[in-house]
Amino acid sequence: MFGDLMGMMGKLKETQKKVEETKQRLHTVLIDEKSSDSLLNVTVTANREIKSIEVSDELLEDKEQLEDYLILTLNKAIKRAGEVHEAEVAAVAKDGMPNIPGMDMFS
């Protein structure tokens, strides 16, 4: 029993390390998003950090339109980044969880 508990604790620590490594790796996973007419392009990491914004000269003529484009496009990019982030971290966590009867948290 005690050996099983120690084994589970070791596996949990290993999983925690893998989750942290995955979070660090996600800084390098880039998600590109653009407006429907491609006048605005944004790139974010899977950790939801903005890396670049490219604005068409056409959008520079209308401040309100540019603001709307930024809000819509950045929100889409951040949503996609969050989905990638959650899926990657959940996959690593699920693979590393010890098999504890009655504790199936990821099904």
Side-chain angles (χ1 to χ4, degrees):
M1 167 91 178
F2 187 68
D4 289 344
L5 183 59
M6 292 301 291
M8 282 189 265
M9 293 300 290
K11 189 160 177 111
L12 285 173
K13 283 186 184 267
E14 182 181 322
T15 299
Q16 184 177 18
K17 181 180 177 197
K18 286 181 180 178
V19 166
E20 289 305 315
E21 289 170 354
T22 298
K23 287 180 180 179
Q24 289 301 311
R25 182 182 60 78
L26 291 174
H27 282 298
T28 64
V29 175
L30 301 178
I31 286 100
D32 295 313
E33 188 66 54
K34 59 184 165 187
S35 61
S36 58
D37 54 9
S38 299
L39 294 177
L40 178 70
N41 298 306
V42 298
T43 301
V44 297
T45 69
N47 283 331
R48 295 165 282 225
E49 188 175 282
I50 299 169
K51 295 306 258 182
S52 71
I53 299 176
E54 296 173 25
V55 180
S56 167
D57 290 341
E58 184 179 326
L59 284 177
L60 297 177
E61 297 168 11
D62 185 344
K63 180 181 181 279
E64 191 174 312
Q65 183 183 18
L66 174 58
E67 290 169 346
D68 290 343
Y69 270 63
L70 284 167
I71 290 167
L72 290 171
T73 308
L74 284 168
N75 280 334
K76 285 194 311 188
I78 290 167
K79 181 180 182 205
R80 283 186 48 215
E83 291 167 353
V84 169
H85 180 94
E86 296 303 319
E88 291 287 325
V89 171
V92 170
K94 184 176 181 177
D95 283 346
M97 290 299 290
N99 187 12
I100 302 170
M103 295 293 291
D104 191 10
M105 298 185 293
F106 294 103
S107 33

